[in-house]
């Protein structure tokens, strides 16, 4: 389960990127105004090959090779929703708002309960933290690494009140019920 990665993708993409090769080919055709010749030039194949890939008759339909499928899969997200780069730049510059319900725990001193419990937290992350999260997403970081970054940031905002109290408190984040990100 990739709750944080999926939440970031929902922030950037208003509509999900097509997952299947057939849907990705339809998107390429739509961007090239239905011209199989232009799609063929973009993909570096013949026009007839593209026509076979998008044929209406399932018996005549060919399938792209794994190399071509990868080329199509790499090309579509780059062209999908052109305002995505602007949204990401705005998020990295101004930060994001995080709304989550997750299990937060911490290491606390004596006479306090440090048992992890479900909490609903809304917080504004800075642009620097947002850049760290996107960098981890681009690097293919695991969900645990995202939880570590987000737990540290939300712990600073919520439990330590932006550094005004509870210095040295180590907050852990896990068992995310839901998470939503929004632009500030």
């Amino acid at each position: 389960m990739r709750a944080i990665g999926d939440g970031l993708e929902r922030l950037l993409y208003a509509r999900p990127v097509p997952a299947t090769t057939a849907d990705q080919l339809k998107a390429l055709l739509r961007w090239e105004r239905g011209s199989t010749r232009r799609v063929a030039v973009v993909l570096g194949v013949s026009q007839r090959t593209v026509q076979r890939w998008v044929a209406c008759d399932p018996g005549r339909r060919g399938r792209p090779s794994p190399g071509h499928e990868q080329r199509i899969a790499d090309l579509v997200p780059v062209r999908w929703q052109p305002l995505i780069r602007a949204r990401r730049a705005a998020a990295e510059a101004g930060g994001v708002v995080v709304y989550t319900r997750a299990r937060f725990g911490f290491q606390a001193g004596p006479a306090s309960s440090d048992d992890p419990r479900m909490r609903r937290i809304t917080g504004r992350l800075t642009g620097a933290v947002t850049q760290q999260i996107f960098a981890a997403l681009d690097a293919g970081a695991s969900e645990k690494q995202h939880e570590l970054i987000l737990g540290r940031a939300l712990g600073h905002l919520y439990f330590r009140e932006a550094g005004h109290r509870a210095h040295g408190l180590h907050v852990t984040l896990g068992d995310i019920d839901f998470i939503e990100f929004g632009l500030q």
Side-chain angles (χ1 to χ4, degrees), residues 84-96 127 130 134 183-184:
I84 291 171
R85 284 187 282 290
R87 290 182 75 150
R88 180 168 173 167
E92 289 179 345
V96 295
T130 306
F134 277 123
L183 293 176
Q184 293 187 22

Side-chain angles (χ1 to χ4, degrees), residues 13 15 17 27-33 38-39 41-43 71-85:
Y13 298 97
R15 292 175 292 152
V17 178
L28 285 173
L29 277 170
R30 188 172 55 249
W31 294 326
E32 298 298 338
R33 298 185 180 106
R38 286 195 228 153
V39 172
V41 169
V42 168
L43 294 175
R71 173 117 169 95
I72 293 167
D74 291 343
L75 189 61
V76 170
V78 172
R79 290 185 169 190
W80 189 255
Q81 298 178 331
L83 294 177
I84 291 171
R85 284 187 282 290

Side-chain angles (χ1 to χ4, degrees), residues 2-122:
R2 288 185 25 184
I4 297 171
D6 291 344
L8 289 171
E9 287 179 6
R10 283 192 304 273
L11 169 70
L12 295 177
Y13 298 97
R15 292 175 292 152
V17 178
T20 66
T21 304
D23 290 340
Q24 291 169 351
L25 278 169
K26 287 178 190 175
L28 285 173
L29 277 170
R30 188 172 55 249
W31 294 326
E32 298 298 338
R33 298 185 180 106
S35 171
T36 55
R37 177 176 290 145
R38 286 195 228 153
V39 172
V41 169
V42 168
L43 294 175
V45 296
S46 70
Q47 180 179 3
R48 182 66 189 122
T49 301
V50 174
Q51 290 171 343
R52 272 196 314 272
W53 290 346
V54 297
C56 294
D57 182 13
R60 292 183 33 198
R61 179 178 290 176
R63 184 162 183 223
S65 68
H68 288 119
E69 282 183 350
Q70 186 61 45
R71 173 117 169 95
I72 293 167
D74 291 343
L75 189 61
V76 170
V78 172
R79 290 185 169 190
W80 189 255
Q81 298 178 331
L83 294 177
I84 291 171
R85 284 187 282 290
R87 290 182 75 150
R88 180 168 173 167
E92 289 179 345
V96 295
V97 175
V98 179
Y99 178 60
T100 185
R101 181 169 180 247
R103 188 169 306 279
F104 287 89
F106 49 90
Q107 296 171 351
S112 67
S113 172
D114 60 353
D115 292 335
R117 58 190 129 178
M118 294 299 274
R119 298 175 191 263
R120 191 176 304 229
I121 295 178
T122 301

